[in-house]
Amino acid sequence: MTLQDHHGRRFNYLRLSVTDVCNFSCNYCLPDGYQCSDSTPPLSVNEIRRVVTAFARQGTRKIRITGGEPSVRRDLPEIIRTVAAVSGIDDIALTTNGWKLPTFLPDWIDAGLTRLNVSIDSLDPRQFKAITGHDRLQDLLDGLAMAHEMGFNDIKVNAVLMRGHNADQLPHFLNWIRTTPVSLRFIELMQTSDNHKFFEENHISGDSIKAQLLDSGWQSVLRKSTDGPAQEFWHPDYAGRIGLIMPYSKDFCSSCNRLRVSANGQLHLCLFGDKGYDFRHLLGSDEQITDVITFLQDSLNEKKETHALHDGDTGVRTHFAGIGG
């Protein structure tokens, strides 16, 4: 069985949030930081196992663990190990701000992690601190070096494009990936319900970077069925690749292959949707997994063909976490 909507899109990729808490204060996302005020605890390890099992029985093969910042959960290695043990799951990714990457990475890899996404919005230490509120760029770079030394090479680095903060740093990034084998993805800044002024001042289209790449001999990479939303490019003179995530581009939603589950057990059919579908009441026992499957199939009937970003409709989403696949 495969999860499929009325528009012919198949969903084999789940983005699973394990916490709403984040310990960074990025200016484009949560400039004041965020500590969850809701007293409801996040999904337990057993609830996570049941979510992943239900998705796996419907053809999901890739799980991306996200937050907030997932590493604030001390049981993250147990979560990764639990997900890895679910039959049918063969790709386990983690999106992290990398705040203690050198400390945590060995345990994550030992637990079964297969892919790593790290956010690095600038390679200039001062600018990195200005964007994130933390002076941890070197920790991230040390963690990436450790990952390569351990033979862990499927690494993606996310950078949010912002006119006033890092848009002029493309040459610096290009010089870095000339010898660094990572997939560097530039993500267009997106409008949310509470960043209108910041968005208007800083949004730039990824099309300008795409044009520069193509003019410089970069070539498109063929997409795989479990890939995220990035358009990826390669160049024979570079060890790394470049990806562009452009949610305002034409037909962005046509290749959608992922669903999202929040830390409190709500299904989100779209990052920009205006509704979450609560199913935590179905996660109390293994006997309810078939009910979860029915719930997922029924909910997909509500998935729209496209988001409404072009109309200024950002749904209920109030911060940036979630798009980098």
Side-chain angles (χ1 to χ4, degrees):
M1 296 291 292
T2 301
L3 291 170
Q4 182 171 329
D5 67 8
H6 289 320
H7 310 290
R9 295 172 296 195
R10 296 185 176 185
F11 302 92
N12 52 19
Y13 176 3
L14 170 64
R15 296 184 60 93
L16 176 63
S17 174
V18 296
T19 180
D20 287 332
V21 176
C22 187
N23 49 11
F24 271 26
S25 49
C26 297
N27 57 5
Y28 56 84
C29 181
L30 297 167
D32 299 321
Y34 182 63
Q35 298 293 324
C36 184
S37 59
D38 188 346
S39 60
T40 304
L43 294 174
S44 68
V45 174
N46 272 329
E47 288 174 318
I48 289 171
R49 175 177 57 80
R50 291 170 188 135
V51 170
V52 173
T53 299
F55 272 88
R57 290 181 183 177
Q58 292 298 290
T60 295
R61 295 294 172 259
K62 179 177 179 179
I63 305 293
R64 176 169 298 283
I65 299 171
T66 70
E69 169 48 41
S71 65
V72 301
R73 284 194 61 159
R74 295 182 179 181
D75 59 352
L76 181 57
E78 183 182 359
I79 292 172
I80 296 172
R81 188 171 292 107
T82 298
V83 172
V86 174
S87 177
I89 301 300
D90 51 30
D91 196 344
I92 304 169
L94 177 73
T95 295
T96 175
N97 61 29
W99 69 293
K100 286 189 177 180
L101 192 57
T103 301
F104 295 144
L105 183 60
D107 288 339
W108 297 343
I109 294 177
D110 182 65
L113 189 68
T114 60
R115 297 178 187 262
L116 181 68
N117 278 37
V118 181
S119 297
I120 302 180
D121 295 304
S122 174
L123 292 170
D124 177 275
R126 290 173 298 179
Q127 189 62 42
F128 180 90
K129 183 177 180 180
I131 293 172
T132 67
H134 293 269
D135 186 17
R136 286 194 176 273
L137 175 60
Q138 193 57 52
D139 290 337
L140 271 66
L141 296 177
D142 290 346
L144 293 182
M146 174 187 289
H148 288 306
E149 291 172 1
M150 298 176 68
F152 193 79
N153 294 317
D154 197 350
I155 299 171
K156 296 175 182 176
V157 173
N158 295 337
V160 178
L161 281 172
M162 293 175 284
R163 178 179 290 110
H165 299 274
N166 62 6
D168 61 344
Q169 296 179 22
L170 179 59
H172 194 182
F173 277 114
L174 286 174
N175 185 59
W176 181 55
I177 66 169
R178 187 177 290 275
T179 57
T180 306
V182 299
S183 176
L184 171 65
R185 287 104 55 75
F186 293 109
I187 306 174
E188 284 183 348
L189 179 68
M190 289 170 289
Q191 184 175 339
T192 66
S193 60
D194 57 0
N195 79 340
H196 295 285
K197 185 174 186 294
F198 188 89
F199 175 82
E200 291 174 357
E201 293 174 348
N202 289 281
H203 178 264
I204 56 175
S205 171
D207 284 330
S208 60
I209 293 181
K210 181 177 180 178
Q212 293 180 56
L213 295 175
L214 295 176
D215 287 345
S216 301
W218 289 79
Q219 303 174 49
S220 295
V221 176
L222 186 65
R223 283 178 54 87
K224 298 190 295 291
S225 63
T226 56
D227 283 345
Q231 299 180 37
E232 199 166 28
F233 303 86
W234 71 279
H235 193 291
D237 296 336
Y238 289 78
R241 294 183 175 185
I242 291 181
L244 297 174
I245 299 178
M246 301 183 291
Y248 293 90
S249 63
K250 182 182 178 182
D251 297 328
F252 177 77
C253 297
S254 62
S255 62
C256 183
N257 62 351
R258 57 210 172 277
L259 298 170
R260 293 169 173 83
V261 171
S262 70
N264 61 355
Q266 289 195 336
L267 174 69
H268 291 267
L269 301 176
C270 176
L271 175 63
F272 310 100
D274 58 1
K275 183 178 181 181
Y277 299 80
D278 182 40
F279 68 106
R280 193 167 191 173
H281 60 286
L282 300 177
L283 300 175
S285 70
D286 290 357
E287 287 72 23
Q288 293 177 287
I289 290 176
T290 54
D291 296 328
V292 176
I293 292 172
T294 300
F295 163 83
L296 296 176
Q297 294 170 334
D298 291 344
S299 297
L300 272 176
N301 293 329
E302 304 295 323
K303 186 167 175 62
K304 298 178 181 179
E305 186 173 9
T306 183
H307 61 56
L309 281 179
H310 298 94
D311 300 323
D313 183 1
T314 64
V316 298
R317 182 176 169 278
T318 59
H319 62 283
F320 189 80
I323 193 171

